[in-house]
Amino acid sequence: MGVPVKRLTVLYDAQCPLCVHLRHWLLRQRQLVPLDLVPAASEEARRRFPALDHEATLREITVVGDRGQVYRSTAAWIVCLWALAEYRPKAHWLSTPAGQPFAKVTVLAAARYRELTAASCEGRCEVPVPPG
């Protein structure tokens, strides 16, 4: 049986207005699992997670659990919601076969919004290609 997650680190693009907005939103929520919000590819992120591909963390949201679990893209959004008191039931639903399409569309929409509204980010804002 796995060890429960006790803390999560959310790596976010500090140069992206949408990412910064979501960072502030996460901090305002009641957290069941504490969230540390660290700028992606920062010295702090590199110190905490030396084996992580830090350039990739600038392209897609990445969340790291206190036991080394790494969540990316849709799974990262779901685990962020799971950490929040008000959104845990929604996170459970989004992880089901019925909810997964909604989670994927939300992540793709956020990436598209980011691409259209953010200042030039030197290739970091591309919309992820949906699997299969």
Side-chain angles (χ1 to χ4, degrees):
M1 189 174 281
V3 178
V5 175
K6 294 183 181 174
R7 184 168 218 92
L8 294 166
T9 301
V10 180
L11 301 174
Y12 70 96
D13 185 348
Q15 303 304 311
C16 167
L18 176 61
C19 300
V20 172
H21 172 78
L22 291 171
R23 173 194 182 275
H24 292 302
W25 180 81
L26 286 169
L27 290 173
R28 288 191 307 268
Q29 306 306 307
R30 188 166 68 87
Q31 299 173 5
L32 297 174
V33 175
L35 298 174
D36 295 328
L37 290 111
V38 175
S42 66
E43 286 184 32
E44 177 67 12
R46 292 175 194 280
R47 183 189 64 74
R48 288 185 184 205
F49 311 110
L52 203 58
D53 177 354
H54 291 279
E55 293 308 309
T57 67
L58 289 168
R59 290 188 299 273
E60 64 182 352
I61 182 174
T62 304
V63 177
V64 182
D66 58 342
R67 302 281 187 219
Q69 313 91 322
V70 178
Y71 307 91
R72 290 187 172 85
S73 192
T74 305
W77 284 111
I78 292 171
V79 80
C80 283
L81 292 175
W82 174 83
L84 305 176
E86 187 175 340
Y87 294 93
R88 185 166 278 187
K90 180 63 76 179
H92 284 292
W93 181 76
L94 289 170
S95 67
T96 68
Q100 285 175 353
F102 293 96
K104 287 178 186 174
V105 166
T106 301
V107 169
L108 289 172
R112 181 68 177 153
Y113 177 84
R114 181 179 179 211
E115 177 182 281
L116 294 172
T117 61
S120 175
C121 54
E122 301 170 19
R124 293 179 294 173
C125 299
E126 63 257 357
V127 176
V129 176

